[in-house]
Amino acid sequence: MKLAVVGGGSTYTPELIDGFARLRDTLPIEELVLVDPATDRLELVGGLARRIFAKQGHPGRIVTTSDLDAGVADADAVLLQLRVGGQAARNQDETWPLECGCVGQETTGAGGLAKAMRTVPVVLDIAERVRRTNPNAWIIDFTNPVGIVTRALLQAGHKAVGLCNVAIGFQRKFARLLDVTPAEVHLDHVGLNHLTWELGVRLGGPDGENVLPRLLAEHGDTISDDLRMPRALVDRLGVVPSYYLRYFYAHDEVVEELGTKPSRAAEVAAMEKELLAMYGDPALDEKPALLAKRGGAFYSEAAVDLASSLLGSGGCAVQVVNTHNRGTLPFLPDDAVIEVQARVDRTGAVPLAVPELDPLYAGLIADVTAYEDLALEAALRGGRDRVFKALLAHPLIGQFAQAEALTDKLIAHNREHLAWA
């Protein structure tokens, strides 16, 4: 089995390598190729990756290359974890929207649209090159904004599934609070990528006892503190929203807060510098503790579970993924991309049925789906008017003057990545 990781020079990668090493019986990798144009970072990460495999006794071979075509050739699955423009572009996504009184964030709002505009054309080019070398290869997308990027891949006919670590993070957290194993916890996880709610927490499987009311009663303070949302809000909802919902439920508070501190991109850039120095130490043969602060917790386990099911080594499994709606949420088009529990096997992902959604959630999902439709059109076809319409449609913007100003700022800050500009 051969896997390729595009963006393999990311400081995230040792988390992924650690999961591959620990779970080698689930996903028996013979060759793992790390692909990245940043050769200096790639060699540091690749060296640590080989030492992790060696320490844990993994027999697989790790190859590093800056040649995309060679790296993905004959791969059974290709994982995408790239960031077009790096942390510098992310820093812009998180700052210029604040000038218009809007949230600055890399996956939602104006910053999220900017990232989609930069990312979708690059990802589609990579996918076409994968298809030329192995049309049967699966593409697993961890690149944000996952919902829009996965929609672009599926719309172009690629064998693709989107992956996020939010759900597995909740699963692990709830398992600790309930003092059970993660495998015993099934989430009624519904929504779009970075716009989801846990409507139920079931023990033993999809038909198990819903213990969410008990979780909220006994651990509501802990859960709400982790979300950075008021306990009163979580109690009134009676569900657990993704922490990304804070951008919607406390927008003005978040904008004020973001204006008083360095961007997350600046924090991550400093962290990455320290991590890369660690990765260059030939004595280091495990992922450092600092990596946990970088983000992406449990990404490796989610990726192993998904890849093993898609490639047949893990059989059919139930996992939260991003895939076509196919009537699961009846108020959305079938080809919308949603994030829900799905049965995953060699043929792909099929969403499980979900309960009828309260209009409080369905309305916001429908609004953001409409924005994502327009965002994808803007990313694929370009043009100022398409950018403006996507921004005007976004629930976090929605005002003419702001959409106009944000459109000009988005284009100005991303001109080098926009062929049409």
Side-chain angles (χ1 to χ4, degrees), residues 212-289:
L212 179 57
R214 172 157 64 95
L215 263 175
L216 293 178
E218 297 177 0
H219 303 285
D221 287 341
T222 298
I223 292 169
S224 59
D225 286 348
D226 285 347
L227 297 171
R228 300 187 64 203
M229 296 183 194
R231 169 75 186 267
L233 170 61
V234 177
D235 284 344
R236 290 180 71 175
L237 293 176
V239 304
V240 178
S242 159
Y243 42 85
Y244 286 94
L245 265 299
R246 185 167 183 259
Y247 298 116
F248 294 82
Y249 294 159
H251 176 273
D252 293 352
E253 177 185 334
V254 172
V255 169
E256 183 177 354
E257 175 187 298
L258 292 175
T260 63
K261 63 180 184 179
S263 68
R264 174 62 177 164
E267 294 175 354
V268 170
M271 202 179 305
E272 287 193 332
K273 185 176 180 180
E274 188 174 352
L275 284 168
L276 289 170
M278 291 179 177
Y279 295 171
D281 180 357
L284 183 67
D285 56 8
E286 61 185 14
K287 64 177 183 180

Side-chain angles (χ1 to χ4, degrees), residues 15-45:
E15 160 69 25
L16 190 62
I17 299 299
D18 177 72
F20 287 161
R22 288 185 293 103
L23 302 170
R24 56 185 174 274
D25 292 338
T26 302
L27 189 66
I29 299 171
E30 297 166 290
E31 182 178 358
L32 177 64
V33 184
L34 305 181
V35 184
D36 204 296
T39 54
D40 52 342
R41 293 169 59 109
L42 184 60
E43 288 313 308
L44 292 174
V45 173

Side-chain angles (χ1 to χ4, degrees), residues 113-147:
L113 177 61
K115 192 171 195 304
M117 298 286 294
R118 295 192 303 270
T119 304
V120 166
V122 174
V123 165
L124 289 178
D125 176 66
I126 292 169
E128 285 299 330
R129 292 158 80 172
V130 171
R131 181 152 54 187
R132 285 201 297 268
T133 65
N134 183 3
N136 294 316
W138 279 102
I139 296 176
I140 297 174
D141 178 60
F142 193 67
T143 296
N144 282 319
V146 168

Side-chain angles (χ1 to χ4, degrees), residues 77-90:
V78 177
L79 280 71
L80 305 181
Q81 57 172 38
L82 59 148
R83 183 183 295 281
V84 180
Q87 294 298 331
R90 176 181 180 175

Side-chain angles (χ1 to χ4, degrees), residues 6 10-11 56 93 111 130 162 168 202 240-241 243 249 328 337 411:
V6 179
S10 168
T11 53
Q56 299 198 33
D93 294 343
V130 171
I168 196 171
R202 301 184 183 277
V240 178
Y243 42 85
Y249 294 159
T328 308
V337 167
I411 295 171

